[in-house]
Amino acid sequence: HGLWPQYSLIQYPTYCKNVSFSVDKLEPIIERLHKHWFSTQEKDEDFWKHEYEKHGSCMFNEMTEFEYFNKTLDIFDLVISDKVYEKYKESDGKILIPLSLDFKFI
């Protein structure tokens, strides 16, 4: 349900840097976010803030909230349109898709 670095299948960094979040900076992609990256348990804005602070702060290349969410949505579009997810789907339904540091599928 997002984008973040991982050390292994079960280990990943969290809250790596102190980042600030402003939903206003997401305005150019807000409709895409509401459509493809929404929360079923809380306000979308709270969910996005959590995702950016927990995972976006750990990206190898420092990214603004707009860059982080826009890149993730672009990757999502490729995963869906090219059916990349089929290659990585586990029997339990989990899908972990490895990307290089320049966001290319491995």
Side-chain angles (χ1 to χ4, degrees):
H1 69 257
L3 175 68
W4 58 84
Q6 287 205 214
Y7 302 128
S8 69
L9 289 176
I10 59 172
Q11 291 182 303
Y12 53 88
T14 60
Y15 302 102
C16 299
K17 298 176 201 109
N18 187 12
V19 294
S20 61
F21 176 83
S22 171
V23 73
D24 295 334
K25 293 182 180 177
L26 301 178
E27 189 57 38
I29 58 171
I30 202 78
E31 292 304 317
R32 286 177 70 203
L33 284 168
H34 281 301
K35 182 177 180 181
H36 297 296
W37 200 348
F38 56 89
S39 175
T40 59
Q41 300 177 4
E42 59 193 319
K43 287 178 32 181
D44 287 346
E45 291 83 4
D46 294 338
F47 176 54
W48 299 329
K49 181 179 189 290
H50 163 80
E51 289 296 298
Y52 183 62
E53 290 176 348
K54 183 174 182 179
H55 303 300
S57 70
C58 295
M59 300 307 296
F60 294 108
N61 301 323
E62 195 164 321
M63 303 175 88
T64 66
E65 53 267 66
F66 174 80
E67 292 167 330
Y68 173 72
F69 287 101
N70 193 54
K71 175 59 74 177
T72 306
L73 288 169
D74 289 346
I75 292 168
F76 174 79
D77 289 344
L78 289 172
V79 165
I80 297 302
S81 67
D82 294 346
K83 297 186 179 185
V84 173
Y85 59 89
E86 291 178 349
K87 179 178 179 183
Y88 297 99
K89 190 170 186 176
E90 300 288 327
S91 60
D92 64 359
K94 183 183 277 188
I95 302 172
L96 297 174
I97 301 173
L99 299 171
S100 64
L101 294 179
D102 59 349
F103 303 105
K104 305 288 186 217
F105 298 118
I106 298 174

